[in-house]
Amino acid sequence: DYPIETRQRFLAVYEGRRKDPQLILILCLVGLIGPAGIHRFLTNQIGMGILYILTVGLCWIGTIVDAINYRKLAWEYNKKAALQSAALLGL
């Protein structure tokens, strides 16, 4: 168990890095009528973001799949952010 100060520092760092699943969903839906792939850039998947822009969200199919699976995208990104935050603090 970690001291309260360590937990508070972790939460402060993690909260600054985590992404809200609803924001990812909104950006997926924006990709259906505007530039596709913005949500991929937000989750640090730059290559996929460029691919989505060049292929119009893989002909919208990839964007629709991402809109359905937006929670999984957010979970994967937030899990990495938590691990990076812990490593940054030496936990």
PDB file of all heavy atoms in Angstrom, residues 47-66:
ATOM      1  N   GLY A  47      -0.064   6.644 -36.843  1.00  0.00           N
ATOM      2  CA  GLY A  47      -0.115   5.926 -38.122  1.00  0.00           C
ATOM      3  C   GLY A  47      -1.536   5.619 -38.548  1.00  0.00           C
ATOM      4  O   GLY A  47      -1.903   5.803 -39.720  1.00  0.00           O
ATOM      5  N   MET A  48      -2.343   5.137 -37.615  1.00  0.00           N
ATOM      6  CA  MET A  48      -3.749   4.848 -37.934  1.00  0.00           C
ATOM      7  C   MET A  48      -4.503   6.131 -38.252  1.00  0.00           C
ATOM      8  O   MET A  48      -5.382   6.134 -39.119  1.00  0.00           O
ATOM      9  CB  MET A  48      -4.417   4.108 -36.777  1.00  0.00           C
ATOM     10  CG  MET A  48      -4.003   2.659 -36.644  1.00  0.00           C
ATOM     11  SD  MET A  48      -4.445   1.644 -38.061  1.00  0.00           S
ATOM     12  CE  MET A  48      -6.217   1.554 -37.867  1.00  0.00           C
ATOM     13  N   GLY A  49      -4.179   7.212 -37.549  1.00  0.00           N
ATOM     14  CA  GLY A  49      -4.837   8.487 -37.832  1.00  0.00           C
ATOM     15  C   GLY A  49      -4.571   8.952 -39.250  1.00  0.00           C
ATOM     16  O   GLY A  49      -5.485   9.387 -39.959  1.00  0.00           O
ATOM     17  N   ILE A  50      -3.321   8.838 -39.685  1.00  0.00           N
ATOM     18  CA  ILE A  50      -2.971   9.225 -41.061  1.00  0.00           C
ATOM     19  C   ILE A  50      -3.672   8.312 -42.058  1.00  0.00           C
ATOM     20  O   ILE A  50      -4.214   8.765 -43.068  1.00  0.00           O
ATOM     21  CB  ILE A  50      -1.440   9.201 -41.244  1.00  0.00           C
ATOM     22  CG1 ILE A  50      -0.800  10.324 -40.421  1.00  0.00           C
ATOM     23  CG2 ILE A  50      -1.058   9.332 -42.717  1.00  0.00           C
ATOM     24  CD1 ILE A  50       0.704  10.255 -40.316  1.00  0.00           C
ATOM     25  N   LEU A  51      -3.688   7.002 -41.763  1.00  0.00           N
ATOM     26  CA  LEU A  51      -4.376   6.057 -42.642  1.00  0.00           C
ATOM     27  C   LEU A  51      -5.862   6.390 -42.744  1.00  0.00           C
ATOM     28  O   LEU A  51      -6.431   6.383 -43.840  1.00  0.00           O
ATOM     29  CB  LEU A  51      -4.192   4.625 -42.124  1.00  0.00           C
ATOM     30  CG  LEU A  51      -4.845   3.522 -42.946  1.00  0.00           C
ATOM     31  CD1 LEU A  51      -4.189   3.428 -44.322  1.00  0.00           C
ATOM     32  CD2 LEU A  51      -4.757   2.203 -42.211  1.00  0.00           C
ATOM     33  N   TYR A  52      -6.488   6.719 -41.626  1.00  0.00           N
ATOM     34  CA  TYR A  52      -7.916   7.080 -41.644  1.00  0.00           C
ATOM     35  C   TYR A  52      -8.156   8.347 -42.452  1.00  0.00           C
ATOM     36  O   TYR A  52      -9.145   8.440 -43.178  1.00  0.00           O
ATOM     37  CB  TYR A  52      -8.441   7.256 -40.223  1.00  0.00           C
ATOM     38  CG  TYR A  52      -8.927   5.991 -39.556  1.00  0.00           C
ATOM     39  CD1 TYR A  52      -8.213   4.810 -39.643  1.00  0.00           C
ATOM     40  CD2 TYR A  52     -10.092   5.978 -38.819  1.00  0.00           C
ATOM     41  CE1 TYR A  52      -8.650   3.653 -39.024  1.00  0.00           C
ATOM     42  CE2 TYR A  52     -10.534   4.833 -38.183  1.00  0.00           C
ATOM     43  CZ  TYR A  52      -9.806   3.673 -38.303  1.00  0.00           C
ATOM     44  OH  TYR A  52     -10.252   2.539 -37.691  1.00  0.00           O
ATOM     45  N   ILE A  53      -7.267   9.319 -42.333  1.00  0.00           N
ATOM     46  CA  ILE A  53      -7.431  10.557 -43.112  1.00  0.00           C
ATOM     47  C   ILE A  53      -7.323  10.264 -44.603  1.00  0.00           C
ATOM     48  O   ILE A  53      -8.129  10.742 -45.410  1.00  0.00           O
ATOM     49  CB  ILE A  53      -6.398  11.616 -42.675  1.00  0.00           C
ATOM     50  CG1 ILE A  53      -6.785  12.178 -41.309  1.00  0.00           C
ATOM     51  CG2 ILE A  53      -6.296  12.733 -43.705  1.00  0.00           C
ATOM     52  CD1 ILE A  53      -5.768  13.123 -40.714  1.00  0.00           C
ATOM     53  N   LEU A  54      -6.326   9.464 -44.986  1.00  0.00           N
ATOM     54  CA  LEU A  54      -6.096   9.178 -46.406  1.00  0.00           C
ATOM     55  C   LEU A  54      -7.160   8.280 -47.017  1.00  0.00           C
ATOM     56  O   LEU A  54      -7.397   8.332 -48.234  1.00  0.00           O
ATOM     57  CB  LEU A  54      -4.714   8.544 -46.587  1.00  0.00           C
ATOM     58  CG  LEU A  54      -3.522   9.438 -46.224  1.00  0.00           C
ATOM     59  CD1 LEU A  54      -2.219   8.661 -46.357  1.00  0.00           C
ATOM     60  CD2 LEU A  54      -3.503  10.691 -47.080  1.00  0.00           C
ATOM     61  N   THR A  55      -7.811   7.449 -46.204  1.00  0.00           N
ATOM     62  CA  THR A  55      -8.804   6.504 -46.737  1.00  0.00           C
ATOM     63  C   THR A  55     -10.233   6.846 -46.308  1.00  0.00           C
ATOM     64  O   THR A  55     -11.129   6.011 -46.467  1.00  0.00           O
ATOM     65  CB  THR A  55      -8.486   5.075 -46.265  1.00  0.00           C
ATOM     66  OG1 THR A  55      -8.553   5.027 -44.840  1.00  0.00           O
ATOM     67  CG2 THR A  55      -7.122   4.626 -46.753  1.00  0.00           C
ATOM     68  N   VAL A  56     -10.441   8.050 -45.788  1.00  0.00           N
ATOM     69  CA  VAL A  56     -11.735   8.485 -45.280  1.00  0.00           C
ATOM     70  C   VAL A  56     -12.276   7.460 -44.282  1.00  0.00           C
ATOM     71  O   VAL A  56     -13.365   6.916 -44.411  1.00  0.00           O
ATOM     72  CB  VAL A  56     -12.758   8.745 -46.417  1.00  0.00           C
ATOM     73  CG1 VAL A  56     -14.010   9.412 -45.863  1.00  0.00           C
ATOM     74  CG2 VAL A  56     -12.164   9.583 -47.517  1.00  0.00           C
ATOM     75  N   GLY A  57     -11.462   7.220 -43.268  1.00  0.00           N
ATOM     76  CA  GLY A  57     -11.884   6.301 -42.207  1.00  0.00           C
ATOM     77  C   GLY A  57     -12.052   4.887 -42.694  1.00  0.00           C
ATOM     78  O   GLY A  57     -12.950   4.180 -42.240  1.00  0.00           O
ATOM     79  N   LEU A  58     -11.141   4.468 -43.633  1.00  0.00           N
ATOM     80  CA  LEU A  58     -11.258   3.155 -44.286  1.00  0.00           C
ATOM     81  C   LEU A  58     -12.668   3.008 -44.846  1.00  0.00           C
ATOM     82  O   LEU A  58     -13.383   2.033 -44.583  1.00  0.00           O
ATOM     83  CB  LEU A  58     -10.892   2.019 -43.340  1.00  0.00           C
ATOM     84  CG  LEU A  58      -9.485   2.070 -42.743  1.00  0.00           C
ATOM     85  CD1 LEU A  58      -9.309   0.968 -41.713  1.00  0.00           C
ATOM     86  CD2 LEU A  58      -8.437   1.973 -43.824  1.00  0.00           C
ATOM     87  N   CYS A  59     -13.049   4.004 -45.635  1.00  0.00           N
ATOM     88  CA  CYS A  59     -14.375   4.085 -46.262  1.00  0.00           C
ATOM     89  C   CYS A  59     -15.484   4.063 -45.207  1.00  0.00           C
ATOM     90  O   CYS A  59     -16.514   3.420 -45.386  1.00  0.00           O
ATOM     91  CB  CYS A  59     -14.560   2.969 -47.282  1.00  0.00           C
ATOM     92  SG  CYS A  59     -13.413   3.083 -48.660  1.00  0.00           S
ATOM     93  N   TRP A  60     -15.272   4.745 -44.138  1.00  0.00           N
ATOM     94  CA  TRP A  60     -16.182   4.910 -43.005  1.00  0.00           C
ATOM     95  C   TRP A  60     -16.383   3.648 -42.174  1.00  0.00           C
ATOM     96  O   TRP A  60     -16.896   3.719 -41.068  1.00  0.00           O
ATOM     97  CB  TRP A  60     -17.543   5.458 -43.434  1.00  0.00           C
ATOM     98  CG  TRP A  60     -17.487   6.877 -43.876  1.00  0.00           C
ATOM     99  CD1 TRP A  60     -17.205   7.953 -43.114  1.00  0.00           C
ATOM    100  CD2 TRP A  60     -17.709   7.360 -45.184  1.00  0.00           C
ATOM    101  NE1 TRP A  60     -17.219   9.084 -43.873  1.00  0.00           N
ATOM    102  CE2 TRP A  60     -17.537   8.748 -45.169  1.00  0.00           C
ATOM    103  CE3 TRP A  60     -18.019   6.754 -46.392  1.00  0.00           C
ATOM    104  CZ2 TRP A  60     -17.677   9.535 -46.291  1.00  0.00           C
ATOM    105  CZ3 TRP A  60     -18.154   7.548 -47.501  1.00  0.00           C
ATOM    106  CH2 TRP A  60     -17.988   8.921 -47.444  1.00  0.00           C
ATOM    107  N   ILE A  61     -15.988   2.507 -42.691  1.00  0.00           N
ATOM    108  CA  ILE A  61     -16.187   1.265 -41.939  1.00  0.00           C
ATOM    109  C   ILE A  61     -15.353   1.271 -40.664  1.00  0.00           C
ATOM    110  O   ILE A  61     -15.842   0.928 -39.583  1.00  0.00           O
ATOM    111  CB  ILE A  61     -15.881   0.027 -42.814  1.00  0.00           C
ATOM    112  CG1 ILE A  61     -16.893  -0.059 -43.947  1.00  0.00           C
ATOM    113  CG2 ILE A  61     -15.881  -1.253 -41.979  1.00  0.00           C
ATOM    114  CD1 ILE A  61     -16.585  -1.091 -44.998  1.00  0.00           C
ATOM    115  N   GLY A  62     -14.085   1.662 -40.768  1.00  0.00           N
ATOM    116  CA  GLY A  62     -13.217   1.722 -39.586  1.00  0.00           C
ATOM    117  C   GLY A  62     -13.722   2.717 -38.564  1.00  0.00           C
ATOM    118  O   GLY A  62     -13.672   2.469 -37.356  1.00  0.00           O
ATOM    119  N   THR A  63     -14.230   3.834 -39.036  1.00  0.00           N
ATOM    120  CA  THR A  63     -14.767   4.842 -38.124  1.00  0.00           C
ATOM    121  C   THR A  63     -16.005   4.327 -37.401  1.00  0.00           C
ATOM    122  O   THR A  63     -16.167   4.550 -36.205  1.00  0.00           O
ATOM    123  CB  THR A  63     -15.095   6.134 -38.900  1.00  0.00           C
ATOM    124  OG1 THR A  63     -13.899   6.595 -39.556  1.00  0.00           O
ATOM    125  CG2 THR A  63     -15.595   7.216 -37.982  1.00  0.00           C
ATOM    126  N   ILE A  64     -16.866   3.616 -38.109  1.00  0.00           N
ATOM    127  CA  ILE A  64     -18.066   3.053 -37.489  1.00  0.00           C
ATOM    128  C   ILE A  64     -17.687   2.001 -36.452  1.00  0.00           C
ATOM    129  O   ILE A  64     -18.238   1.975 -35.344  1.00  0.00           O
ATOM    130  CB  ILE A  64     -19.015   2.481 -38.564  1.00  0.00           C
ATOM    131  CG1 ILE A  64     -19.585   3.611 -39.413  1.00  0.00           C
ATOM    132  CG2 ILE A  64     -20.137   1.660 -37.933  1.00  0.00           C
ATOM    133  CD1 ILE A  64     -20.306   3.165 -40.673  1.00  0.00           C
ATOM    134  N   VAL A  65     -16.723   1.140 -36.795  1.00  0.00           N
ATOM    135  CA  VAL A  65     -16.259   0.119 -35.851  1.00  0.00           C
ATOM    136  C   VAL A  65     -15.665   0.788 -34.616  1.00  0.00           C
ATOM    137  O   VAL A  65     -15.925   0.368 -33.482  1.00  0.00           O
ATOM    138  CB  VAL A  65     -15.242  -0.833 -36.525  1.00  0.00           C
ATOM    139  CG1 VAL A  65     -14.565  -1.718 -35.506  1.00  0.00           C
ATOM    140  CG2 VAL A  65     -15.931  -1.668 -37.592  1.00  0.00           C
ATOM    141  N   ASP A  66     -14.880   1.841 -34.822  1.00  0.00           N
ATOM    142  CA  ASP A  66     -14.293   2.560 -33.687  1.00  0.00           C
ATOM    143  C   ASP A  66     -15.367   3.231 -32.837  1.00  0.00           C
ATOM    144  O   ASP A  66     -15.234   3.303 -31.611  1.00  0.00           O
ATOM    145  CB  ASP A  66     -13.287   3.606 -34.162  1.00  0.00           C
ATOM    146  CG  ASP A  66     -11.976   2.980 -34.612  1.00  0.00           C
ATOM    147  OD1 ASP A  66     -11.788   1.771 -34.401  1.00  0.00           O
ATOM    148  OD2 ASP A  66     -11.138   3.721 -35.165  1.00  0.00           O
TER     149      ASP A  66
END
